[in-house]
Amino acid sequence: MPGFALARNCKVVALSRRDANKAREAATKYGIPHVFASTEELSRCPKVDVVLVTTPNACHLADVLTAVAARKPVLCEKPMAMNADECRQMVEAARNASVLLGVAQVFRFEESTARFRERIADGDIGRPVFARAEFSYSGLGHHRTWLYDRSLSGGGPIADVGVHCIDALRYILQDEPRHVSVVGRRDEESGDVEAAAIVSLEFERGTLATVMVSTRTDYRTPLEIVGDGGILRADDALNVERPIQLELWRSGKRVAEETVSNHLAYARQVDSFADAVEGRSVFPVTGEQGWQNQLILDRAYRSLSSGKIQEISEEVPKELTG
């Protein structure tokens, strides 16, 4: 909602929640005029131009298909689904209905990731050799209690925030991972999902990456790309609350730095989707991009359960990439 408050070209006109009392409370708090008890009712509302799906992950497929059936463009929260086959169903349904389907990978709209991508493309660190991303936060007592139920979440922090890091690395490096291996652990509070994990990725052009995720530490989102000609890094590079200091290092010395802000990332995301719906631009994170991320997540969890490296040989069919 803070993101919508800063948006230029869209606003929230309706919401749907399973709990009617909570729905009315939220509507009053944020000045939302229309309240519904189901996605179907909301999707039929003539005041609604676009549906944003933010339900638990296990509900994404049904909610997206319901909105698409009503011919409403859909922006779906990450991770897009419970598995890649659900993503396929969403993409095919949206294609058949000729409506836009996007995925809310908000890091694509951050200044920090944009500058990482630009500077690496410009050769500031030479050829990327290593990449390291982390997303940790304290999940104990979190209001999203369904995160600890695999049947609703699909997984723990790998699915919840690891997908953010994986997508950010794909975007920044402009490359695709081809192998993934994972180690992780549960604890007494994490239910049937992991509490912490390390995801190792090997990209097509040779970059080796690690993604560290946890729901047991303070909030942390550092990002570092190590090349054969320098290092680009930032502490809490992916946060949206405070300014980020990007640093370029060579031969053990900091040779450049710049300050950026991700304060408008959520507003940029929803405005970008609104612009795409109105035909003024192309939304950069299509359903196909979410599907590709889910293929990687599926292999990551297969590696976590088997203890073996998994090849990411499957790709989103080219005829659906648009």
Side-chain angles (χ1 to χ4, degrees):
M1 292 307 300
F4 277 110
L6 297 171
R8 299 175 291 101
N9 194 35
C10 54
K11 62 181 180 180
V12 179
V13 298
L15 68 82
S16 168
R17 294 191 71 166
R18 290 164 294 174
D19 186 314
N21 290 328
K22 289 183 178 180
R24 286 191 291 269
E25 289 174 4
T28 299
K29 179 178 180 180
Y30 294 109
I32 301 171
H34 302 285
V35 180
F36 299 100
S38 70
T39 304
E40 184 177 6
E41 291 178 304
L42 182 144
S43 298
R44 289 200 305 262
C45 177
K47 298 294 185 181
V48 173
D49 299 313
V50 171
V51 175
L52 171 61
V53 172
T54 62
T55 48
N57 303 338
C59 302
H60 287 185
L61 175 61
D63 289 336
V64 168
L65 294 183
T66 296
V68 166
R71 296 297 192 272
K72 297 293 173 73
V74 186
L75 180 59
C76 182
E77 257 299 341
K78 58 75 211 165
M80 185 176 174
M82 298 289 280
N83 54 62
D85 184 65
E86 290 189 354
C87 297
R88 177 192 58 77
Q89 294 179 58
M90 296 181 199
V91 170
E92 290 179 351
R95 277 297 183 98
N96 291 335
S98 298
V99 299
L100 179 62
L101 173 61
V103 182
Q105 295 285 171
V106 70
F107 290 175
R108 297 266 189 135
F109 301 90
E110 293 186 332
E111 287 188 22
S112 60
T113 52
R115 288 301 292 144
F116 266 88
R117 176 182 167 104
E118 291 164 2
R119 298 192 71 159
I120 290 170
D122 288 343
D124 283 4
I125 64 167
R127 182 180 64 85
V129 177
F130 295 126
R132 178 178 64 87
E134 179 185 344
F135 199 137
S136 295
Y137 67 94
S138 179
L140 297 175
H142 201 282
H143 66 279
R144 292 186 296 163
T145 56
W146 54 267
L147 287 173
Y148 297 112
D149 183 344
R150 183 178 293 276
S151 68
L152 294 175
S153 64
I158 296 173
D160 184 37
V161 290
V163 69
H164 267 317
C165 296
I166 291 167
D167 185 74
L169 290 176
R170 291 179 59 226
Y171 173 71
I172 289 168
L173 297 172
Q174 302 184 58
D175 198 3
E176 295 293 340
R178 280 293 162 254
H179 293 91
V180 58
S181 62
V182 181
V183 293
R185 64 172 178 82
R186 302 176 185 175
D187 60 28
E188 294 179 355
E189 291 81 22
S190 66
D192 60 355
V193 301
E194 74 280 2
I198 299 176
V199 180
S200 298
L201 300 163
E202 180 184 358
F203 281 80
E204 282 186 347
R205 293 200 292 270
T207 304
L208 301 177
T210 57
V211 171
M212 294 178 285
V213 294
S214 172
T215 51
R216 294 295 179 269
T217 74
D218 290 339
Y219 186 92
R220 286 172 44 83
T221 59
L223 179 64
E224 182 177 64
I225 313 292
V226 179
D228 57 14
I231 300 169
L232 191 61
R233 65 173 305 278
D235 291 327
D236 284 337
L238 306 173
N239 87 89
V240 297
E241 286 85 17
R242 54 190 176 276
I244 300 118
Q245 197 83 5
L246 270 67
E247 301 175 346
L248 177 63
W249 289 72
R250 293 195 182 111
S251 302
K253 297 179 180 179
R254 186 174 58 197
V255 297
E257 58 184 327
E258 64 177 301
T259 302
V260 298
S261 173
N262 295 331
H263 179 60
L264 295 176
Y266 284 97
R268 286 176 176 152
Q269 176 175 252
V270 292
D271 274 337
S272 176
F273 196 77
D275 288 345
V277 169
E278 294 181 326
R280 289 194 297 272
S281 65
V282 175
F283 190 69
V285 201
T286 61
E288 290 86 350
Q289 289 287 332
W291 183 358
Q292 192 66 45
N293 284 334
Q294 191 67 51
L295 287 170
I296 299 167
L297 289 182
D298 288 358
R299 297 301 188 277
Y301 278 110
R302 188 179 297 177
S303 174
L304 180 62
S305 63
S306 69
K308 298 179 180 179
I309 296 173
Q310 299 294 315
E311 183 178 4
I312 308 167
S313 56
E314 186 179 358
E315 292 184 355
V316 174
K318 298 300 182 183
E319 62 269 20
L320 290 177
T321 59

